Amino acid sequence: MQNKGLIKFFAIIFALVSIYQLSFTFASSKITNDAKSFADGNPEKEARYLDSIGKETVFNLGFADFTFDEVKEKQINKGLDLEGGINVILQISVKDILKGLSNNSKNPVFNKSLADATANLQGNQNYIDAFFEAFEANSKGTVKLASPDIFANRSLQGEGGVDYQMTDAQVQKVIKRKVDESVESAFGVLRKRIDKFGVTQPNIQKLGESGQILVELPGAKDVDRIKKLLQSTAQLEFWETYKIDEMGGFLVAANESLKKTEINTVEAKPIVKDSLSALLTDGKDSTASKKGNNPLFDKIIAQGGGPVLGLFSPKDTAIVNGYLKRSDIRVLLPAEQRYAKFVWGKLTTIEDAKSKEIEAVELYALKGNRDDVPAMGGGVVTDAKDSFDQMGKPAVSMQMDGQGAKAWEELTGRAYIQKSNIAIVLDNIVYSAPGVSTGPISGGRSEISGSFDVTETKDLANVLRAGKLPASADIIQSEVVGPSLGQEAIDNGTTSAIVGLLLVSLWMMVYYGKAGWYANIALAINLLFLFGVLASLGAVLTLPGIAGIVLTMGTAVDANIIIYERAKEELREGKTLEEAVKASYSWTGAMRSIVDANVTHILTGAVLFIFGSGPIKGFATTLLIGIITSLFTSIFIARIFIDWSLKKNSNLSFVTGFSKNFFTNFHFDFLGIKKWTYLFSAVVVIVSIVSLATNKLDQGVDFVGGRTFQVRFEKAVEAEVVKAELVKVFGSAEAKIFGNDNQLKITTKYKVEEHGIEADQEVNKLMFESLKNHFEAGLTYKQFVNAYEGKQYGILQASKVGPTVAEDIKTNAYWAVLGAMAIVFLYLMISFRKWQYSLGAIAAVAHDVIFVLGIYSLCYKFMPFGMEIDQHFIAAILTVIGYSMNDTVIVFDRVREFLDGKTKGTFSEIVNKSINSTMSRTINTSATMILVLLIMFIFGGESIRGFIFAMLIGIVVGTYSSLFIATPVLVDTISREDKKLIEKQHQES
């Protein structure tokens, strides 16, 4: 081997760099474990401990010192499925941005186009492109985007803006730039909020030009708090309010009017003796005040006063909103109150008549106007911090700029004179509505107080400091993983990796003897390089990523197997050991096959990386890195040891007493039984297609949208019983045993299209109320929902995928599979220079994909593990495509070699001999792969069992198809004239 010294040099440098990079992971792990021991299960105490040592030197390598923050940056990051935490994709509302850019245009074509774009959005299509298409269709050239009442308004005019003379194409470029600027602004605001939140190693990134932002918060545990923090637009406003005595007449009139339409549908409740009931009955009991007769007043659960019109149950807010928005009700408002805005306050807790704590929200009436603008906007706030009010309760103090201070002084002065209140409204929720009792407030200082805890005031101050989002941010996809589940994943992944490594190493030693030892050393070095590269790139290690690493161990020895099998052939032909080794490592020996096989594998891995997301991208990353490092170690590192052994005359061997006669006299007529294999495969394909058409597939929420919860109970539960309980509250739900019989995977589409924090909280609370009878008494809502160290029961993992995202994922999946097949088809046609080779390979791959889909369609209803079609399944299919191509290419390379060589016989006999000569490699590689996948299937954990099963079936079928489908198709598509020409050449040679 030439340049052996240079290869040794690079290998040593690479190994040292890998050890250096990995040292930070070990150091960080030790420090984190120390923090856990110190905190004794208290996550807040653990976070404070780690924050306190962030700037301290904690790691000394002799030549450099590193702080804990620096160590964290250089370690291998664990994904949420290993670390626990929250992962969300936020969709910045491009619709809201467009409305803002148009100055809330009332143009009917503009607004219809916004609505049409929302309704007709296609998979992977950006909203802004859908809007432009809808506008063109609706306007038909009669209305321009540059109309003064759309985008050529005062705020967009000027340099770089929109001029009324512009064409629609010119305006589109400007608007796209403005939307990008708004999304960038939102990205900056969210980063500021997250940086102040306190989780370690947060990750935030924009996803293309879709207006979507990915946020990962490893270790975060308070689900509702984080979602609220991310989705708050921080639209701070100050409004003057009406008092209850000013609105009393309207409310009485509204209640009377509602009796005409609602009296038969309201639920009966005891009337509350508050100021509104006094207005209604003058304090006397009458027919009008009896329970069930007052559609609006019967909803009141506690007395209001001042600016509070009354307190209502959270579940009744939608009904009351509907009442107050009705045109026949709003017409009852006096002329001076016709622009009144009815807004709810912050959720609070009160005691009912039985001293039981219940949730309630206050109703306010704000003094609106024709333009629906507040008396004062929140953009004047320059700083905010959590503090305590005069009563010692948590509050948020704010400082305004000069302009804001002047406006605040005028507003508070007017409130003081009129003895009115000022509502402090954030994201359309009234946080407090204080009166002004000491005269105008100068200096621009104000305070938000109310029923807060310290955490809430910290988050509120954080949001206000970071600034407002330019548009609403909706969580369209989310995943929550508890740390306990993450630790289980680590344990399962580690076990499968160790067992897989030991078995593969043992097989290589038993089958190849001393050469097998060298392959194992190369495999160990390969793992060192692989982890070193992952650490250097700052890659995130996920559970599918661990699966990719374990899979790499199975494929890493493939190149060694090809080389060793070639060396054995050369030895059987009478060459010396040195000559056999040299020939096996040559391009005409094993190298051509290795390159072709791995290029096809890399191409499918690249497609997986491009179209995948989250954990799937992690799987693709480890797979691609593993292929490259495996090639280096198998070809160069193992060769160094083999050459060293030859030089020392240490009896190098490629066989053992156990394996020396394996496949040496193997002669099977593969083409002779092709009619039977065609028939078998045709039956399988037909049955699979029929099943796919009738039985269909169990599509996961990735593909259809929905909410999924992994819930663990203290005792075994019956899935059908739980399903029946959930259907009563959600309308539709699925519940399946997931692993053990005390664990369920629950899926529902309830309010999946509603993205606000309120909808998520409602689903969580309904889930808790429905399932709490299956838990021991004392389990609280927070214990059921939130993640924490040592959590054993309740929601261990939750995910949500909106319909739009599901459509995008499905579209990406189709393109990934078709793209992988198309790319490999082109590569093989270029490499083999005959389209018949590409056709044979694609026929085998299509057969394998249909076979696996058919198995999943036929078996998903009764298998004891999940067989959902989701992103993980697509990753498995692409891996199967890569392996099937890999195996087929090895066979095709040998077929090409024999057809170009001097082997005697008919065309079919030559092809049969070439296939038989690859059997040792085919069986060995398939056996190691199947062995590794079986270990992962047994020990890898429930969450990836379906993923591994797809690959396991795919490897078995892929091995079969490369021998019994790909090669016969190749032979049958080569013309009779070409076959006769080849036979003639071989007879003459």
Side-chain angles (χ1 to χ4, degrees), residues 608-630:
L608 188 60
F609 182 84
I610 292 168
F611 287 96
S613 62
I616 305 308
K617 198 177 285 286
F619 172 76
T621 301
T622 54
L623 193 64
L624 286 169
I625 295 171
I627 292 170
I628 295 169
T629 56
S630 296

Side-chain angles (χ1 to χ4, degrees), residues 681-694 850 854 857-858:
S681 294
V683 170
V684 169
V685 168
I686 291 170
V687 170
S688 297
I689 291 174
V690 171
S691 179
L692 289 168
T694 56
I850 293 172
S857 177
L858 289 166

Side-chain angles (χ1 to χ4, degrees), residues 145-175:
L145 289 170
S147 297
D149 63 338
I150 303 182
F151 290 127
N153 54 67
R154 185 178 301 174
S155 61
L156 274 182
Q157 288 178 355
E159 187 177 352
V162 176
D163 186 278
Y164 70 91
Q165 294 179 336
M166 282 182 170
T167 64
D168 280 358
Q170 290 172 321
V171 175
Q172 287 178 11
K173 291 180 181 179
V174 175
I175 297 304

